[in-house]
Amino acid sequence: MGTRDMMPSFELYQPDTLEAALDLLGRFGEDGWALAGGNDSFDWFKDRVKRPRYVVDLTGIEALKGIRETADGGVEIGALTTLTEIERSDVIRSRFGVLAEAASKVASPQIRNTGTIGGNLCQDARCWYYRYGVHCYRAGGNTCYADTPEGQNREHCLWGADRCVAVSPSDTAPAMVVLDARMVVAGPNGEREVPAEQFFIGPSIDITRMTVLEPGELLTAIRIPPSWAGARFYFEKVADRNVWDFPLVNIAAAMRVNGNVIEDARFAAGAVQCTPRRLTVVEEVVRGQPRSEDLARLAGQSAVRGATPLNYNHFKIPLLQNLVMRAVRDA
Ligand SMILES: Cc1cc2nc3c(=O)[nH]c(=O)nc-3n(C[C@H](O)[C@H](O)[C@H](O)COP(=O)(O)OP(=O)(O)OC[C@H]3O[C@@H](n4cnc5c(N)ncnc54)[C@H](O)[C@@H]3O)c2cc1C
C-alpha cells in the first residue's frame, strides 16, 4: 500500500489508430493498460494498487468516438464517446432514452465530460477492500474481507457470490442489457460481437475480470439494434448522494405497451450482483398483462426471489422490489 494519491511513473503511448493501440497492448501483455477518460484508472494508479508499466491512451483514436445511426434504424456508439455526449444526443434521447437517462446519472458532470462509455462498461469492481489494495480473492489472495462477520458489505451483492461479493458498479450496463446491445470487441484475432448480457462475467467464471475482454482486447463500439427504439423506458438509480456516487441499486426497463397491455418487456438491475442482473422472471410476470398496481406489486415481489443478503445489505431487497414496482407502474 504505502504512498497514496500521487501519480507513479509509467511509459505513456498515444496511438491514433486502433491497429496501433492493439499492437501496443499485444506487445505489453499483462504490463499494459488501456486508458480512456482515466476516472477509474487514475484512482488505481495514484493509490499504487495497480502499477502498469505501459499505459496506452486511447483518446487520440478518432475512429472510436461518436454516435452513428445505422441503416437498420439502430445506433453504433464508439467506445470513446463521453457520457455527456450520450446524455445529450438527440437520437439516443428520442429513441433509446433509457441509456441517455442512465448516462446522466453517472457520478458528476465533470466525470461525465471525460468519462467514456467504454470506460464505464469496463470499469473494475468498487469493493472497498479490493480498491484499497487488500489481498482479497479478487486480488489473488484467499479471503473475501467483505464477506466476514465484521466485513463492510452494505454495497455488496444479493446474488452470484462466489468467493467475491462485489457488484457491477456501472449505471449504463443495465441499460445496455435491456436494449439488447451488442459489444464490439477487437483483439489480435480480429473482431467479434458479444451480446451485452454475456459481456459481463461473474467471479465463478473469472474472479480477476468483470468482462469477457482478454488482455490485449479492446471494446471498440456498442451496437444498439432498433428492436426497442421508441419503447416506454424507465431508469432509476438510488445512491447515498445524488451526485458523485455509485448506485446502491439501479433499475433499467423497456416495455412495449399496447393500450394498457404490456406486450413485451426487458428489465435489468445493477449493483445487486457482479454483472447486471437481467430480471427474466419479472419479464415473464408482466408479459401479456394489463398494467395495474397488483401487477407492479407482483413484479416487485418476483424480482427479489432467491436474493441472499449479506450482514449489512438487507435493505437492498425492498429497494429493488420498489424500483421494479415503480418501473412497471411508471415507465
Ligand atoms: C468519484 C467517482 C464517482 C463515480 N461514480 C460513478 C457512478 O455513479 N456510476 C458509474 O457508472 N460509474 C461511476 N464512476 C466510475 C467511472 O469512473 C466512470 O463511470 C467513467 O465512465 C469511467 O470512464 P473512463 O473513460 O474515465 O474510464 P478509464 O478510467 O479510462 O477506464 C476504466 C477501465 O476500463 C478500461 N477501458 C476503458 N476503455 C476501454 C476500452 N475501450 N476497451 C477496453 N477497456 C477499456 C480501462 O483499462 C480501465 O480498466 C465514478 C468514478 C469516480 C472516480
Side-chain angles (χ1 to χ4, degrees), residues 34 36-41 83 107 116 120 122-123 171 219 237 245-246:
N39 294 287
D40 189 32
S41 304
L83 295 163
T116 64
N120 189 265
C122 298
Q123 64 177 296
D171 277 312
L219 174 67
K237 163 182 179 172
D245 211 352
F246 289 87

Side-chain angles (χ1 to χ4, degrees), residues 25 32-45 56 58-59 64 78-83 102-103 105-108 111-112 114-124 126 131 169-173 184 199 211 213 217-221 237 239 241-247 250:
L25 288 166
W33 185 284
L35 179 76
N39 294 287
D40 189 32
S41 304
F42 291 150
D43 275 357
W44 282 124
F45 301 172
V56 179
L58 306 175
T59 56
L64 298 187
L80 268 285
T81 307
T82 65
L83 295 163
K105 294 291 187 288
V106 172
S108 65
I111 288 176
R112 296 195 294 274
T114 53
T116 64
I117 187 69
N120 189 265
L121 295 168
C122 298
Q123 64 177 296
D124 208 343
R126 279 274 160 185
R131 298 296 293 206
S170 166
D171 277 312
T172 63
V184 185
F199 180 74
T211 71
L213 293 179
E217 286 190 324
L218 288 173
L219 174 67
T220 59
K237 163 182 179 172
R241 294 173 299 194
N242 276 339
V243 289
W244 198 274
D245 211 352
F246 289 87
N250 62 25

Side-chain angles (χ1 to χ4, degrees), residues 39-58:
N39 294 287
D40 189 32
S41 304
F42 291 150
D43 275 357
W44 282 124
F45 301 172
K46 288 197 292 182
D47 285 349
R48 299 179 182 233
V49 177
K50 306 248 176 178
R51 298 287 300 264
R53 285 181 63 191
Y54 309 104
V55 172
V56 179
D57 174 6
L58 306 175

Side-chain angles (χ1 to χ4, degrees), residues 163-221:
R163 291 160 294 150
C164 175
V165 295
V167 293
S168 161
S170 166
D171 277 312
T172 63
M176 293 300 186
V177 170
V178 302
L179 291 171
D180 292 339
R182 300 183 72 81
M183 309 296 178
V184 185
V185 175
N189 303 321
E191 188 182 289
R192 63 194 163 107
E193 263 192 27
V194 184
E197 214 181 328
Q198 290 161 27
F199 180 74
F200 303 96
I201 57 174
S204 58
I205 296 176
D206 186 342
I207 203 165
T208 64
R209 294 187 281 162
M210 304 281 285
T211 71
V212 295
L213 293 179
E214 303 273 358
E217 286 190 324
L218 288 173
L219 174 67
T220 59

